[in-house]
Amino acid sequence: MYTERTKIYCICEYCGKKFQAKYKSRKYCSRQCVCAEMSKNHIKDYKELIGKRFGRLVVIEREGKDKRHPHLICNCDCGNQISVNVEHLLTGRSKSCGCLRTEKTFVETTSLNTINSKLRSDNTSGVRGVTWCKSKNKWNAHIGFKKKKYNLGYYTNIQDAIKVRKNAEEELFKPILEKYKQK
């Protein structure tokens, strides 16, 4: 992927052609190349897709003869077999049978994805769980763990709030992350 005068250009992972995209994360072209032609039933048998990998899915065969909404039967790496819309495969919307979403996300009523999530773009403190409280004119430190929210207190100094939040992370998050070998 490269940019040229605020235009975002990507290279399709399926066909290898360059295309202009609105979003940087796009992996497959949709309307600018062969993939779009395939998805609009110009290629009716989809033999070129058989054996190709899309995320965790490997295409086996075409399902039925519905020309408006073609589906392909795919094997997932987890062992499941599912039917997937061709458009969803080509655009990257479908990457697995659903196992990717649920795999190791919730353990012991805790979401590992939430613990490892990135800092929000509208965060003003630079630390997760430390926010400015206008009504009290102080920094609030809080943390969520096992479906409960813990208020760690209000502080006039941001460094105190950050220190308390980091200590709570060490105490609550570190054991579960080590147990499930997460960062």
Side-chain angles (χ1 to χ4, degrees), residues 62-173:
R62 180 168 179 181
E63 177 185 42
K65 295 184 180 183
D66 183 7
K67 292 183 180 180
R68 291 189 87 190
H69 306 285
H71 281 70
L72 299 172
I73 296 177
C74 300
N75 276 341
C76 185
D77 290 348
C78 70
N80 290 336
Q81 192 175 71
I82 63 164
S83 173
V84 183
N85 184 308
V86 174
E87 283 276 335
H88 294 183
L89 277 178
L90 295 176
T91 59
R93 186 172 172 187
S94 293
K95 297 175 186 166
S96 72
C97 67
C99 63
L100 192 60
R101 187 181 320 123
T102 58
E103 186 177 272
K104 283 195 174 182
T105 55
F106 277 95
V107 292
E108 300 178 23
T109 66
T110 301
S111 171
L112 295 178
N113 290 347
T114 304
I115 291 174
N116 291 323
S117 65
K118 294 180 181 177
L119 190 66
R120 288 177 47 140
S121 62
D122 61 347
N123 186 303
T124 56
S125 68
V127 177
R128 288 182 62 229
V130 177
T131 56
W132 178 252
C133 180
K134 285 183 182 179
S135 63
K136 297 189 185 237
N137 206 23
K138 293 183 178 187
W139 291 96
N140 178 302
H142 53 86
I143 192 166
F145 186 67
K146 293 194 176 185
K147 296 184 179 180
K148 292 182 182 175
K149 186 173 179 180
Y150 300 97
N151 187 3
L152 304 173
Y154 292 92
Y155 302 91
T156 53
N157 186 353
I158 189 172
Q159 298 304 324
D160 295 337
I162 291 172
K163 183 179 176 183
V164 169
R165 166 65 190 208
K166 294 292 181 188
N167 289 342
E169 285 180 10
E170 283 285 319
E171 184 181 320
L172 298 173
F173 293 165

